[in-house]
Amino acid sequence: RPLFARAGLLSQAEGSAYVELGGGTKVLCAAWGPREAAEPGLPAGGGGWLLCEFRRAPFAGRGARWRPGSAAEREAEREAAAALREALEPAVRLARYPRARLAVSALLLQDGGSALAAAISAAALALADAGVEMYDLAVGCALCQSPGPAAAWMLQPGEPEERRAVARLTVALLPALNQVSAVLGGGQGSSPDGWAQALRLGLDGCHRLYPVLRQSLLRAARRRDAAAAT
């Protein structure tokens, strides 16, 4: 499914990005650079601390599986925020920000499927747009498998396919380093070879999306330079 990405939309955030998938999923992310962190519980190594937030808009659409504001939705948002942090931390050079806090917030405007994968890509773009030092952009791809003994894995599935799926997978990759930063998901009905095939398909999808994200970041930098020159 096609992907549209744009970085540098929000003037009130240090970095921002918008990602839209062909199935209708729309995610808006904002990021803030290092701030002195006085909170307890900072990493023992003295590096920075990445805070991630994931929220669903009340009007997120037909993909909403819970009532807005319900306990189930809040728990799902916490789980998505934890997954977002797991996928992004390997991409950020946290050692460059000793005892500092970086933050990224993802808002799901419309859920058409593959929402976490879209949020990973958008959040990585927003952090890079904020000038945060990174090893590489994290790119997310989602997969799911429908019921059936010979069912194929679908890349970047829509919400109807996700709802019927017996197995789901979200892969986050740092393409320039060819390093997997996170593999999230689970399910049943697929053999070990089937899971391996799904992982290969997801990694290939991440490599294909990478140029789109890089171009959106370069365009944002050009717009910023042009605005500074005027």
Side-chain angles (χ1 to χ4, degrees):
R1 296 175 186 269
L3 174 143
F4 170 80
R6 178 166 180 175
L9 296 106
L10 303 177
S11 58
Q12 61 268 42
E14 293 176 13
S16 59
Y18 171 81
V19 165
E20 182 174 337
L21 302 183
T25 293
K26 301 175 182 179
V27 181
L28 181 64
C29 285
W32 292 268
R35 300 284 188 273
E36 184 178 354
E39 298 91 341
L42 283 171
W49 191 14
L50 180 62
L51 297 178
C52 294
E53 179 186 44
F54 183 98
R55 294 181 295 117
R56 293 178 61 93
F59 49 84
R62 64 182 185 277
R65 294 160 173 83
W66 310 277
R67 297 193 316 276
S70 66
E73 183 177 61
R74 289 195 298 271
E75 178 61 26
E77 289 176 343
R78 283 193 292 270
E79 291 178 357
L84 200 58
R85 182 179 176 186
E86 181 179 345
L88 292 172
E89 275 191 333
V92 181
R93 301 186 68 181
L94 292 174
R96 302 284 287 183
Y97 304 102
R99 301 194 61 79
R101 179 181 61 192
L102 300 95
V104 61
S105 177
L107 176 62
L108 180 61
L109 300 171
Q110 184 171 319
D111 186 356
S114 305
L116 177 58
I120 290 169
S121 298
L125 266 183
L127 286 167
D129 186 56
V132 172
E133 290 194 37
M134 303 176 72
Y135 296 106
D136 194 10
L137 289 174
V139 185
C141 265
L143 303 101
C144 77
Q145 186 180 43
S146 300
W153 285 88
M154 177 177 290
L155 187 64
Q156 298 291 69
E159 189 273 335
E161 291 87 5
E162 282 190 339
R163 190 179 291 273
R164 295 192 301 267
V166 294
R168 298 179 186 177
L169 193 64
T170 297
V171 179
L173 178 70
L174 311 182
L177 304 177
N178 203 29
Q179 176 183 333
V180 177
S181 62
V183 178
L184 309 156
Q188 57 186 2
S190 189
S191 66
D193 287 343
W195 285 104
Q197 179 190 11
L199 182 58
R200 288 193 296 269
L201 183 62
L203 296 178
D204 181 63
C206 290
H207 279 293
R208 294 185 183 201
L209 294 177
Y210 188 53
V212 179
L213 301 179
R214 280 180 52 85
Q215 284 300 316
S216 69
L217 194 59
L218 290 172
R219 285 194 296 268
R222 294 191 191 105
R223 289 195 302 270
R224 193 178 292 114
D225 291 344
T230 58

